[in-house]
Amino acid sequence: MRISHSGDGCGDTWPLCHGRLIPEAERGKTWVEYGHRLMSGIYGLVVIYFWWVARKIYQPGHFARKAALATLIFTITEALLGAKLVLFKLVTTNDTPYRAFVMALHQVNSFMLTGAVALVAVAALSQAETQQPSSSKQVYRFFPWIIVVIGITGAWASLSNSLFPTENLWDGFMADFSSDSHFLIRIRGLHPVLALLGGGGLALYFWLKAQTAELQVIQKRSLQMSLLLIFGIMFGIGTLLLHAPVWMKIVHLALAHSIWVVMLQWVYFARTTKN
């Protein structure tokens, strides 16, 4: 959507597209936006059924049931944030601070949505009827928020690169520190810095955890987490050096959500074991 500047493909109407349930084939952007809305609508129906089934299968208090409710809530808020972007025209070439703020909210909500689905899956596989994360390992719950902060800065960097593309790496780097540059250009450097520091620090932690953990399953999961973070950092560096081609932007976002999901599942599993 953002890469193709198709946010206004249906005009400023929502949920209808140009005031119609099924728009005419006026231009490519319309069908990009309409396809996004159509898939989101279908997904919403799936989530409602998903939540209803969870209520039938799991007893009150089961973590999978709570995560299913969270999935429904974050699906609704995701749709509302998408509607806000359209109705307030925070799309295409809009470069206001308000758009950056809503983009950050949109990114956080997307993480919450995919994270809730991931927690349903891992909680559903637990043997305990009302499996709950232990409060004795509170420090683990801060790890995912590092990924959230990196993701927010990534959304800003992606928006900046879409609105103010650069073909020369050095010129782009100098623009990041120029007081005359747009604020989106000046803050886009936060993402690679935080990704290297935060992501690299987590990768080191999980690597050491893999060497010292008592349970073999924790060792395996920690090693997987470390390698995934390292691969994500290396791919991000490659995306930057190659000036972020479209396919790399898409894979980069998919990697970010994959790291987030695996991280949440690791934290849940670590907090529900005795290791």
Side-chain angles (χ1 to χ4, degrees):
M1 287 287 296
R2 183 172 62 249
I3 294 171
S4 62
H5 297 289
S6 299
D8 64 344
C10 288
D12 57 358
T13 60
W14 188 92
L16 298 178
C17 187
H18 291 303
R20 305 184 184 95
L21 182 61
I22 301 177
E24 296 178 358
E26 299 172 350
R27 51 178 176 166
K29 292 204 303 182
T30 296
W31 287 99
V32 173
E33 165 69 1
Y34 182 74
H36 176 62
R37 294 188 186 187
L38 182 62
M39 288 187 290
S40 298
I42 294 173
Y43 180 74
L45 295 176
V46 172
V47 167
I48 293 174
Y49 176 74
F50 181 67
W51 167 74
W52 179 78
V53 170
R55 287 178 54 85
K56 294 293 183 181
I57 296 177
Y58 303 106
Q59 63 184 17
H62 197 289
F63 194 77
R65 185 167 174 168
K66 295 179 180 179
L69 176 60
T71 301
L72 176 62
I73 292 172
F74 287 124
T75 298
I76 294 172
T77 53
E78 184 82 352
L80 293 176
L81 283 169
K84 189 175 185 66
L85 287 169
V86 171
L87 296 177
F88 286 80
K89 299 181 180 180
L90 303 175
V91 293
T92 59
T93 58
N94 186 298
D95 60 359
T96 63
Y98 190 46
R99 183 184 185 185
F101 174 72
V102 177
M103 286 288 296
L105 290 181
H106 209 339
Q107 182 65 63
V108 171
N109 197 87
S110 296
F111 272 145
M112 297 300 108
L113 177 55
T114 54
V117 175
L119 289 177
V120 171
V122 72
L125 295 175
S126 64
Q127 296 181 355
E129 289 297 320
T130 56
Q131 187 85 14
Q132 302 288 344
S134 171
S135 60
S136 63
K137 301 175 181 178
Q138 295 283 3
V139 65
Y140 290 152
R141 69 179 183 176
F142 294 106
F143 291 174
W145 292 107
I146 298 175
I147 304 301
V148 170
V149 173
I150 295 173
I152 290 173
T153 59
W156 290 338
S158 180
L159 177 61
S160 176
N161 290 332
S162 296
L163 296 178
F164 308 101
T166 56
E167 297 182 358
N168 184 285
L169 191 61
W170 177 252
D171 290 343
F173 180 76
M174 295 302 295
D176 293 349
F177 295 94
S178 174
S179 60
D180 296 329
S181 297
H182 191 276
F183 82 95
L184 283 173
I185 297 177
R186 296 200 302 271
I187 66 174
R188 67 185 177 188
L190 288 173
H191 180 60
V193 171
L194 292 180
L196 284 172
L197 295 177
L202 286 173
L204 177 60
Y205 171 84
F206 286 115
W207 181 270
L208 296 175
K209 185 70 173 177
Q211 314 306 315
T212 59
E214 298 176 3
L215 294 180
Q216 184 176 5
V217 65
I218 292 290
Q219 294 176 356
K220 182 179 179 180
R221 286 173 178 262
S222 297
L223 181 59
Q224 291 173 342
M225 190 71 248
S226 179
L227 293 176
L228 183 58
L229 282 163
I230 293 171
F231 180 74
I233 292 172
M234 297 303 295
F235 192 88
I237 293 173
T239 303
L240 177 64
L241 294 178
L242 295 176
H243 304 292
V246 171
W247 73 270
M248 293 192 79
K249 288 183 178 180
I250 296 173
V251 174
H252 191 67
L253 181 60
L255 271 174
H257 278 275
S258 298
I259 291 171
W260 162 252
V261 164
V262 175
M263 173 77 75
L264 279 182
Q265 292 182 336
W266 185 96
V267 170
Y268 178 87
F269 187 81
R271 292 182 65 193
T272 53
T273 62
K274 297 180 180 180
N275 186 53

